[in-house]
Amino acid sequence: MRVAVVGSGPSGCYTAQSLVQLNPEVLVDVLDRLPCPYGLVRYGVAPDHEKIKSLQNNLRTVLEHDRVRFLGGVGIGPGGVLAARLRELYDAVVYCVGAATDRHLGIPGEDLPGSWSATEFVSWYSAHPDATADGFTTGVRSAVVIGVGNVAVDVTRILARGVTELSPTDMPQTALTALAASRVTDIHMVGRRGPSQARFTTKELRELGGLPDTEVDVQAEELALDPAYLDPSALPAPQRRNVEVLRGWADAVRQDAPRRIALRFFLRPVELLTDGGRVGAVRFERTTPDGRGGVIGTGQFEEIQAQLVLRSVGYLGVPLEGLPFDPATGTVPHLAGRVLREGTVSPGEYVAGWIKRGPTGVIGTNRPCAKETATSLLEDALTLVAEDRHEDPLTVLRAWGVDPVEWTGWQAIEQAEARLGASLGRRVVKLPDWQSLMNAAHGSTD
Ligand code: NAP
């Protein structure tokens, strides 16, 4: 049985792993649009989170399994291989394409120069080859990060970090140089609900308190607007721990550090205000709990000055041509991972990861999710395997003019990144653009 897994991030790799572990005969091709594997582990996990980054080693083991093959640089959809044609090459296809875009706020001024999605900023410092924007911190003293999830914490932390801490990471040289020259002194991370409802995890939150030359500023009276802050006893443990960390900061004696991270709550963004054609401030409305877990506006407003705004309000799945899609959830309708077309199981098509369950959970959440899908697929195996399909899909792809980057090509990219790092007196440094990635993959020194 030959299975294509589309996407080589955690959900794709864990799906491949489950398939080969659960069945001794299945052969898996893991396809990716990029010439590099690992998805958000390479292009989303913050460069200073080395421990999480090292999960790449686990994913590598999967892609180096003798019944798994990595085929990079293969886009699925218009301009690449259409989903229907891919399906002809394999007995089954599992889509693990993640949630490729970001949610919007839908407020005036959102698109002003200086206002970016957190994803754009993350892609820049992660060297994603599609990232074209730069100059995020040029002329910026004060930044506002909208949202209080783990991505908001990541971008806040990277803005607050100094060059000494960033230099050992694999951050591309242009981003390192720009962040080294940054004069950002104030970062305001703002939640529309209360501290007990923030989405960040305690480990990530606590890390903000350990940044050199940076103090975390919270307002006790603002935290106290949340009834659960005053009496956290009924909160689930993760939220209670968050509240305890925040209380510790509220009780701490103010220092006078060169940089400040202000954690704000009960403020919902209503407009980004312009200053000379760029963003100059964010106008927020003070909110108050509605007693049902949500908030309502109070009619009181506050402006926070900011020359940089990072909107970190979650990812969103995008439709893939040829697959059904539920725009309300940004996911593909499914039954235990089996793609549903108008409520009926579509033979040989599966989903796993964020395109299956939405953009939530940590990397490990993808393991059981992928296993469920792999189990469904293998239960269906007898109905899927086509007797007359004997040709290696790679041969057919090549005949169609597609020239995948195979594992050796990826290893050549890794070697080029090690050489680049050595030439800059750093460790591994990522190649930031398509041309240099493809040159490295194809062994060219141009
Ligand atoms: P998230 O956890 O869903 O957080 C989104 C934040 O945006 C929430 O605070 C949400 O507030 C807020 N928000 C949404 N719409 C808003 C609006 N219109 N106005 C103001 N605020 C709004 O998303 P994420 O931070 O992008 O993270 C995605 C997933 O990746 C999460 O599961 C996260 O844990 C994971 N992740 C993990 C790590 C790590 O483990 N180190 C790092 C990065 C990401 P409400 O709650 O009020 O909706």
Side-chain angles (χ1 to χ4, degrees):
M1 182 179 202
R2 284 191 185 273
V3 179
V5 169
V6 181
S8 64
S11 60
C13 288
Y14 290 141
T15 300
Q17 184 175 43
S18 287
L19 286 169
V20 292
Q21 278 177 353
L22 292 170
N23 184 300
E25 282 169 28
V26 71
L27 300 173
V28 184
D29 283 346
V30 179
L31 288 78
D32 205 293
R33 187 172 77 80
L34 298 178
C36 314
Y38 312 136
L40 275 186
V41 177
R42 179 171 160 94
Y43 288 116
V45 170
D48 60 336
H49 271 175
E50 285 192 12
K51 196 156 167 232
I52 310 182
K53 280 262 180 232
S54 70
L55 275 172
Q56 287 188 10
N57 296 330
N58 300 11
L59 305 186
R60 170 193 307 274
T61 314
V62 176
L63 296 177
E64 288 184 340
H65 188 282
D66 56 9
R67 282 184 285 124
V68 178
R69 187 166 59 174
F70 172 71
L71 300 178
V74 184
I76 304 303
V81 179
L82 293 177
R85 298 207 75 191
L86 183 69
R87 181 70 190 85
E88 290 167 17
L89 299 186
Y90 294 90
D91 298 306
V93 181
V94 190
Y95 292 92
C96 302
V97 292
T101 190
D102 49 89
R103 286 190 183 275
H104 287 248
L105 291 170
I107 60 172
E110 185 167 6
D111 296 321
L112 279 172
S115 161
W116 310 88
S117 71
T119 320
E120 289 171 296
F121 186 59
V122 171
S123 293
W124 171 70
Y125 68 60
S126 302
H128 194 292
D130 287 345
T132 49
D134 63 6
F136 292 91
T137 51
T138 311
V140 177
R141 294 263 171 201
S142 173
V144 162
V145 177
I146 298 174
V148 283
N150 276 335
V151 171
V153 176
D154 277 349
V155 297
T156 297
R157 196 182 62 253
I158 293 291
L159 279 174
R161 280 221 189 271
V163 65
T164 322
E165 303 134 62
L166 294 176
S167 184
T169 72
D170 64 4
M171 180 177 277
Q173 191 65 13
T174 43
L176 179 71
T177 309
L179 289 170
S182 155
R183 297 285 170 266
V184 177
T185 55
D186 289 86
I187 307 152
H188 310 262
M189 190 172 124
V190 189
R192 60 181 172 177
R193 297 192 290 156
S196 70
Q197 293 152 327
R199 303 275 188 97
F200 42 59
T201 41
T202 311
K203 188 166 161 287
E204 277 60 32
L205 176 66
R206 205 175 268 140
E207 208 180 344
L208 294 178
L211 298 176
D213 301 326
T214 305
E215 89 181 294
V216 180
D217 189 8
V218 290
Q219 300 175 12
E221 60 281 13
E222 190 170 72
L223 298 174
L225 295 172
D226 186 344
Y229 177 77
L230 296 174
D231 177 14
S233 57
L235 285 176
Q239 282 74 26
R240 196 168 61 242
R241 282 196 291 268
N242 281 349
V243 162
E244 280 159 12
V245 172
L246 292 165
R247 192 187 305 284
W249 286 329
D251 293 344
V253 180
R254 290 284 299 273
Q255 292 159 19
D256 210 9
R259 272 191 294 267
R260 281 162 302 281
I261 295 174
L263 298 186
R264 303 293 311 274
F265 295 95
F266 292 114
L267 291 172
R268 79 171 166 214
V270 290
E271 186 174 1
L272 272 62
L273 305 172
T274 171
D275 179 10
R278 290 181 52 85
V279 69
V282 185
R283 186 169 153 83
F284 292 93
E285 182 179 15
R286 166 69 66 201
T287 61
T288 186
D290 66 1
R292 298 186 307 274
V295 284
I296 46 172
T298 62
Q300 291 171 330
F301 295 87
E302 175 176 338
E303 285 173 20
I304 301 179
Q305 305 296 310
Q307 303 80 42
L308 167 67
V309 174
L310 296 176
R311 309 177 312 263
S312 182
V313 295
Y315 292 94
L316 192 63
V318 291
L320 198 97
E321 172 100 1
L323 270 196
F325 187 73
D326 177 358
T329 57
T331 58
V332 171
H334 72 96
L335 185 69
R338 297 175 176 94
V339 170
L340 292 176
R341 291 183 184 272
E342 288 161 16
T344 307
V345 169
S346 174
E349 292 184 309
Y350 301 83
V351 280
W354 279 1
I355 197 65
K356 173 183 172 189
R357 53 172 220 279
T360 57
V362 293
I363 293 169
T365 316
N366 290 296
R367 270 179 181 277
C369 174
K371 191 170 180 191
E372 179 191 61
T373 297
T375 306
S376 295
L377 189 157
L378 294 171
E379 275 170 15
D380 302 343
L382 283 179
T383 62
L384 295 174
V385 180
E387 294 296 330
D388 57 349
R389 193 184 289 125
H390 292 300
E391 201 159 13
D392 182 347
L394 183 54
T395 312
V396 184
L397 283 170
R398 289 209 178 105
W400 289 350
V402 182
D403 184 19
V405 172
E406 293 185 70
W407 194 247
T408 48
W410 158 242
Q411 287 175 317
I413 292 174
E414 282 190 304
Q415 286 154 15
E417 295 190 334
R419 282 196 301 275
L420 176 61
S423 74
L424 294 164
R426 297 175 56 198
R427 291 194 230 153
V428 169
V429 172
K430 278 175 168 171
L431 298 173
D433 59 273
W434 276 100
Q435 174 106 46
S436 44
L437 288 169
M438 294 316 272
N439 283 351
H442 292 126
S444 158
T445 50
D446 298 347

